[in-house]
């Protein structure tokens, strides 16, 4: 990938993920220590920019309610509403950034970041094959620097492209 990357303090991130409050719940509650640029929200879900983006415009999508198991904790209609919201976030990413491919992953663990959340990651066009897939998503390979102003501008562009349904 052509954009300059910076290293991320993986130990500090792990300590926060495993020892701090639920990052999604803290964000939804308005805790400034867990602030993210919001892309879109409805009564049940929220989409926001990843604090540690590995690709431009990486968006996280989560239910606002604390849910830990995407399959066990959601009934069929709630799961389908969440997945529809994830799809709409991915369509906004594709509209704004024109990626070669859009990755959708539900990550997290009972040991840290337990709140269900989806990563919507648009792979930039022209990314060399060896830098695609998991390589493109791993913070160990560096994260993209972004100012709060840049995040706000990008979130606004994604919000404007977020489909109604």
């Amino acid at each position: 990938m052509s954009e300059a990357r910076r290293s991320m303090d993986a130990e500090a991130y792990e300590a926060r993920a495993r020892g701090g409050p639920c990052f999604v719940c803290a964000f939804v509650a308005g805790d400034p220590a867990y602030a993210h640029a919001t892309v879109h929200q409805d009564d049940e879900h929220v989409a926001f920019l990843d604090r540690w983006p590995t690709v431009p415009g990486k968006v996280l999508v989560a239910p606002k309610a604390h849910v830990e198991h995407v399959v066990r904790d959601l009934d069929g209609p709630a799961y389908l509403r969440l997945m529809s919201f994830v799809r709409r976030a991915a369509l906004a990413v594709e509209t704004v950034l024109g990626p070669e491919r859009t990755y959708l992953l539900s990550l997290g663990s009972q040991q840290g970041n337990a709140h269900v959340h989806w990563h919507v990651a648009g792979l930039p066009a022209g990314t060399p094959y060896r830098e695609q897939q998991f390589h493109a998503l791993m913070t160990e390979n560096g994260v993209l620097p972004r100012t709060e102003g840049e995040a706000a501008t990008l979130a606004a562009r994604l919000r404007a492209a977020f489909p109604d349904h």
Side-chain angles (χ1 to χ4, degrees):
M1 292 181 205
S2 60
E3 290 196 57
R5 294 177 174 271
R6 62 182 171 86
S7 63
M8 181 182 137
D9 185 343
E11 288 182 24
Y13 171 81
E14 181 179 344
R16 182 173 165 139
R18 297 182 76 182
C22 168
F23 87 101
V24 176
C25 290
F27 165 63
V28 170
D31 184 336
Y34 291 85
H36 294 268
T38 301
V39 171
H40 189 76
Q41 61 183 317
D42 64 16
D43 292 340
E44 295 181 274
H45 314 98
V46 63
F48 52 96
L49 292 181
D50 190 341
R51 179 176 288 187
W52 308 106
T54 56
V55 293
K58 188 165 176 243
V59 173
L60 302 181
V61 175
K64 288 181 176 179
H66 189 83
V67 174
E68 293 190 5
H69 297 277
V70 72
V71 177
R72 287 180 273 178
D73 291 350
L74 296 172
D75 64 18
Y79 175 81
L80 292 175
R81 287 190 305 275
L82 172 60
M83 293 314 300
S84 175
F85 197 88
V86 169
R87 180 180 182 274
R88 291 166 53 212
L91 289 169
V93 167
E94 290 193 353
T95 297
V96 171
L97 298 168
E100 176 177 322
R101 181 95 180 213
T102 301
Y103 301 138
L104 304 175
L105 299 96
S106 178
L107 300 173
S109 165
Q110 292 307 112
Q111 298 175 33
N113 291 337
H115 194 125
V116 165
H117 62 286
W118 290 84
H119 294 244
V120 178
L123 181 71
T127 300
Y129 184 74
R130 289 183 179 208
E131 296 177 23
Q132 294 183 12
Q133 302 177 67
F134 290 113
H135 184 280
L137 302 173
M138 293 175 59
T139 57
E140 293 88 336
N141 296 319
V143 296
L144 299 174
R146 180 178 61 213
T147 67
E148 285 185 34
E150 291 167 337
T153 298
L154 178 57
R157 291 178 60 210
L158 291 165
R159 192 168 29 261
F162 206 95
D164 289 333
H165 295 288

